[in-house]
Every structure is written in C-alpha cells, then in structure tokens.
Amino acid sequence: MNVRLSTAEDTDSELEILIGLSLRVLRVLCGGAFLTASLAILATLVSTGCGYSLAGRGSFLPSYIKAIGVPTFVNRTPVFNVETTLTEKVRREFIGRGKYSVLPQATGVDATLIGEVSSITITPASFAPNQLASRYVIAMSARIELRDNHSNTVLWQNPSLVFRQDYEAASGTGPLDPTAFFGQQANALDRVTTEFARTIVSAILEAF
C-alpha cells in the first residue's frame, strides 16, 4: 500500500540529503577545519528562512499551551463511526508527541481542536483480470481548526485538509460506495484514519 501525500517529512528528507552532501564536500575541502565548517553550515541551514524544519521537533504553538481538548469530530459522511475512530487516533498522536496533555472536552484546556470529516471518496486505480478493481485511491477530507481558549483566536486551521492513500484490496471488489467498501475491507478504514490522524497532528505541530 502506497501513501501519496506531501508532508513535512518529504522536506525533512530533502534537508537531510542536502546536509549529508554538504558535509561530505566540507570533509574534502576543509580538512582539519571540518568540524567548525560543518557546524557553521548546519547553523545556516537551520536558521535561514528556507521553510525547512526537522520533523517532530518544531512547534509554533504558544508556550502556555499545555492541555489540548479534542472533542469527538463531526461526521458529515455516511461511513459509520469514522469520526470516533479518527478522533481517538488524533488524541493518541498528540499524546505520542509527549508535549501535551490531551482531554476529550473543550473546557478546562488551553486549546481546543475542532474537526469535521467532510467527505470520503473511493476511486478504482487498477483492475484484476476479472475486471473488478484491485487497487483503490481513498481520499478523506476534513475541516480542522485549533483554537486558543485564552484569547479565543484561531491558532491553525485548514477548511479542507485532504489525505489520499492507495489501498490494495485483498481480492477484487465491486462497490465504490464508502459504506459498502469499508464493510468489505475492514482494515482499510483503520489504515486510512491512522495515517490521516498523523498528518493532521504533524500539520499542526511541525514548523514549516
């Protein structure tokens, strides 16, 4: 199964390659001054406004944001319980970052994450010899907003955050209706929501 989404991880990989190549050149050219020159170029790459950041280490959230409320998302799709599954995984992603306490309510917290699953579409990408689709592109979109409860301002928002993922069906499947599809492919919804939750939290926390 291949995930096709450009995230901060892609730019992080590009940065790591750039740093690696730069250090190799400096090792050849600088000799004994290699360490000093290496530190200098690393400092330059990190401090410039080129838009790169190290995955999982950046956060533009105010320092007083310690507790984040993540109420259950709203579900605007016909897929049963997708909002509960996605919300729970978003909470786990925040907890896994180790910086914040996460609660299921919007009160008594420093910031509140409001989410709405807007749509889920399934498109066949390839077909088996029996003409049934064997690989699909699953697209899930959501409206996400993180609000500062102290100032009542929006810290981050995306009215249409879209995640796409290739999914290899175990066997040829006919229905493209999301409800019927996820009923037949039990693992698909779990995989998509896991990756989408990671994308949502990364988009919020990682500096760009």
Side-chain angles (χ1 to χ4, degrees):
M1 174 180 58
N2 299 316
V3 178
R4 300 187 299 176
L5 182 72
S6 295
T7 66
E9 295 177 358
D10 298 323
T11 55
D12 295 340
S13 297
E14 294 172 2
L15 178 59
E16 292 172 1
I17 293 172
L18 177 60
I19 292 175
L21 292 174
S22 301
L23 294 183
R24 291 181 184 178
V25 172
L26 287 172
R27 185 182 297 275
V28 174
L29 297 178
C30 300
F34 170 70
L35 179 59
T36 300
S38 300
L39 292 176
I41 193 171
L42 284 173
T44 300
L45 287 170
V46 172
S47 62
T48 54
C50 61
Y52 289 100
S53 64
L54 298 181
R57 298 182 183 179
S59 174
F60 71 92
L61 297 182
S63 59
Y64 58 82
I65 301 295
K66 304 296 183 183
I68 299 176
V70 185
T72 302
F73 288 5
V74 175
N75 183 12
R76 301 296 184 190
T77 79
V79 179
F80 175 72
N81 214 34
V82 63
E83 77 284 2
T84 303
T85 302
L86 182 59
T87 303
E88 182 58 33
K89 291 183 179 182
V90 167
R91 291 169 182 163
R92 291 177 186 174
E93 280 294 324
F94 270 116
I95 293 172
R97 301 301 173 110
K99 293 183 179 180
Y100 309 97
S101 61
V102 179
L103 299 173
Q105 71 270 5
T107 57
V109 292
D110 301 308
T112 302
L113 183 69
I114 302 169
E116 178 181 299
V117 184
S118 307
S119 66
I120 299 175
T121 61
I122 300 170
T123 306
S126 63
F127 295 85
N130 59 5
Q131 299 304 310
L132 291 177
S134 59
R135 185 168 64 89
Y136 303 85
V137 175
I138 303 173
M140 182 180 296
S141 66
R143 182 181 67 83
I144 307 295
E145 179 181 285
L146 182 68
R147 296 193 67 88
D148 184 330
N149 288 1
H150 298 283
S151 61
N152 195 30
T153 57
V154 176
L155 293 171
W156 186 93
Q157 66 177 343
N158 190 324
S160 184
L161 182 61
V162 180
F163 175 81
R164 292 181 176 86
Q165 185 177 66
D166 285 358
Y167 181 78
E168 298 284 349
S171 59
T173 304
L176 293 182
D177 174 76
T179 302
F181 178 86
F182 290 126
Q184 293 184 13
Q185 306 292 331
N187 293 330
L189 184 61
D190 181 69
R191 294 178 183 180
V192 172
T193 52
T194 295
E195 295 297 333
F196 196 18
R198 184 173 296 118
T199 298
I200 291 171
V201 175
S202 295
I204 293 172
L205 295 183
E206 294 178 1
F208 291 90

